[in-house]
Amino acid sequence: CGGSVSDSSGVLQSPNYPGNYPNDADCVWEIQVENNFRVTLTFRDIVMQSGTCQHDYIEVYDGPLHSSPLLGRFCSGSFPTYVSSSNMMSVRFHSDSRYSFRGFQAYYSSIPAGHNTTIQCLPDYMHVVVSRHYLQSQGYSAQRVTLNDNRCKPTVTSREVVFNIPYNGCGTVQEENNDTINYSNTIRVASSGYVIKRKKDINLHVSCKMLRKSWQQVVYAAEDTVDVDEYQFGRYNMNITFYDSPAFRRQVRGSPYYIDLNQNLYLQACLHSSDPNLKVVVDTCVASPDPRDFNSLAYYLVRNGCPRDSSYATYSSPSSHFARFKFNAFEFMSRHPSVYLKCQMLVCRLGDYSSHCYRGCSSRAKRDTSSAEEEVDVVVGPLQLRGGDAPSGNTG
């Protein structure tokens, strides 16, 4: 149960609904819609163990589970509706070991945010757009919009003032806060009065915060001078590529990638980010014949940093933004025409020796330490055996 949800609308429901949900369930759904949209969530059915909601309950969070305000916690009563302040919302369902009931069903959809300032956290910079019509309606000039570092100029069009603010320049400040990495800058809108000022200057504080499993993007205005409260969530830009040798000079560009049994396969994961102080490592890699299902029939090469296959090995890499590793094509492939690989990468602060990037093999059940860490899932494939189909009746 649970998982990441990215469609513009859909249905959430407790496991086995409308049958009774299982005991000891703990499900978390992360709903992420398009940038500059909001999530609206409406419950249509709730039948659970009622009372103080200590045993079985639903929680709705305004963003990622561990770092966002709780919008509501309930187990019975009327059917509430929630609207996020960002393009992300999390829903948690918990049951204990005692009684079991029908559970819940809820519908979600996305609605336009309709603000006059938008922000996107891209791999190399923050992309911030301020509407000129909005500035003019408030009595401000587009020519008086600057950054902390006024040498970094915006692009001014007939409709917009556009800033591309780098994460490591233009006065951007970097800091760590609990499990986040924060990149912040300030867009200043000065009033036009030289002798007599009748308006306050506006400070638009813009930040991209790296959270577990997401980037958070924030815009807010100082002193309540402008009603801007913009949060967006995105994902890291990461890819995995096959190479033809341990020298990692030539990429394998064909798809599917045709291979022989027991052939050595060389892979490189690459993180695209302008922040040089990040490190990426391979946390978990699992193979499956179905790119949509890595549970029913799965073969782990490495799990929680611990090798599960004797042929799995890592290589040193020229940059902390790369992670290199290899394994042998395995017997699993003799029974299936195609195999896909899903790898979970960890991104941490370079030099943060308390993070899992430096601790290596761990028997942990879940993330439990400090530091800014983000998990990124990447699926690659298909891999196919060279020269022929799989034996009949075993395509799984």
Side-chain angles (χ1 to χ4, degrees), residues 21-294:
Y21 51 77
N23 291 326
D24 298 315
D26 200 57
C27 315
V28 177
W29 292 267
E30 287 187 341
I31 308 169
Q32 182 180 333
V33 297
E34 290 184 52
N35 277 347
N36 304 305
F37 277 71
R38 303 280 181 261
V39 182
T40 177
L41 178 72
T42 301
F43 286 84
R44 301 290 181 86
D45 187 20
I46 305 171
V47 180
M48 299 169 60
Q49 183 178 357
S50 58
T52 59
C53 299
Q54 295 299 309
H55 306 289
D56 298 355
Y57 54 83
I58 302 165
E59 293 176 331
V60 180
Y61 290 85
D62 193 13
L65 181 70
H66 299 294
S67 53
S68 304
L70 177 66
L71 295 177
R73 176 184 170 123
F74 52 92
C75 56
S76 61
S78 59
F79 299 160
T81 293
Y82 296 97
V83 180
S84 66
S85 63
S86 71
N87 66 327
M88 191 171 183
M89 177 186 284
S90 296
V91 180
R92 180 187 182 200
F93 168 73
H94 176 83
S95 66
D96 68 2
S97 59
R98 299 180 68 193
Y99 306 109
S100 180
F101 297 87
R102 187 167 72 227
F104 77 91
Q105 185 179 67
Y107 292 80
Y108 79 88
S109 60
S110 57
I111 55 175
H115 279 301
N116 297 292
T117 301
T118 61
I119 178 172
Q120 287 181 285
C121 289
L122 300 175
D124 296 323
Y125 55 86
M126 295 179 264
H127 181 71
V128 183
V129 178
V130 184
S131 160
R132 284 193 69 175
H133 173 76
Y134 173 68
L135 290 172
Q136 290 160 2
S137 71
Q138 300 297 311
Y140 294 94
S141 166
Q143 309 307 320
R144 297 181 63 80
V145 181
T146 62
L147 271 183
N148 263 344
D149 183 345
N150 56 21
R151 292 171 298 179
C152 297
K153 305 294 186 186
T155 300
V156 180
T157 70
S158 60
R159 294 186 172 188
E160 300 167 336
V161 180
V162 181
F163 284 94
N164 290 328
I165 308 170
Y167 294 128
N168 58 344
C170 290
T172 299
V173 176
Q174 302 179 22
E175 63 178 358
E176 289 191 48
N177 181 15
N178 295 331
D179 62 347
T180 65
I181 301 172
N182 201 4
Y183 303 92
S184 307
N185 211 311
T186 302
I187 297 172
R188 304 187 187 282
V189 186
S191 67
S192 55
Y194 290 99
V195 180
I196 300 174
K197 294 183 69 169
R198 301 203 180 273
K199 288 182 176 292
K200 291 182 178 180
D201 293 346
I202 300 173
N203 291 332
L204 274 176
H205 300 283
V206 184
S207 55
C208 288
K209 297 179 182 177
M210 185 194 300
L211 297 167
R212 193 174 304 187
K213 296 188 179 177
S214 66
W215 283 83
Q216 178 187 1
Q217 304 159 66
V218 184
V219 181
Y220 65 93
E223 301 178 329
D224 296 325
T225 49
V226 179
D227 181 19
V228 177
D229 188 9
E230 194 69 47
Y231 299 82
Q232 302 299 329
F233 293 86
R235 300 285 179 188
Y236 256 132
N237 190 343
M238 178 93 69
N239 73 314
I240 293 181
T241 309
F242 285 98
Y243 281 77
D244 65 355
S245 79
F248 290 94
R249 291 197 185 97
R250 282 191 308 186
Q251 294 184 13
V252 176
R253 300 190 180 276
S255 182
Y257 180 17
Y258 290 98
I259 58 176
D260 299 312
L261 270 184
N262 294 318
Q263 176 182 336
N264 279 328
L265 304 178
Y266 305 96
L267 298 94
Q268 175 176 274
C270 177
L271 168 68
H272 302 280
S273 172
S274 63
D275 184 353
N277 297 310
L278 298 177
K279 178 178 176 65
V280 61
V281 299
V282 183
D283 185 66
T284 298
C285 275
V286 57
S288 167
D290 185 346
R292 297 168 302 277
D293 180 2
F294 285 87

Side-chain angles (χ1 to χ4, degrees), residues 212-213 344-347 367 373-377:
R212 193 174 304 187
K213 296 188 179 177
Q344 185 175 79
M345 317 302 296
L346 274 184
V347 182
R367 306 263 164 255
E373 295 178 9
E374 178 177 337
E375 301 167 352
V376 184
D377 287 342

Side-chain angles (χ1 to χ4, degrees), residues 341-352:
L341 194 65
K342 178 179 179 179
C343 293
Q344 185 175 79
M345 317 302 296
L346 274 184
V347 182
C348 311
R349 289 299 278 178
L350 192 62
D352 178 5

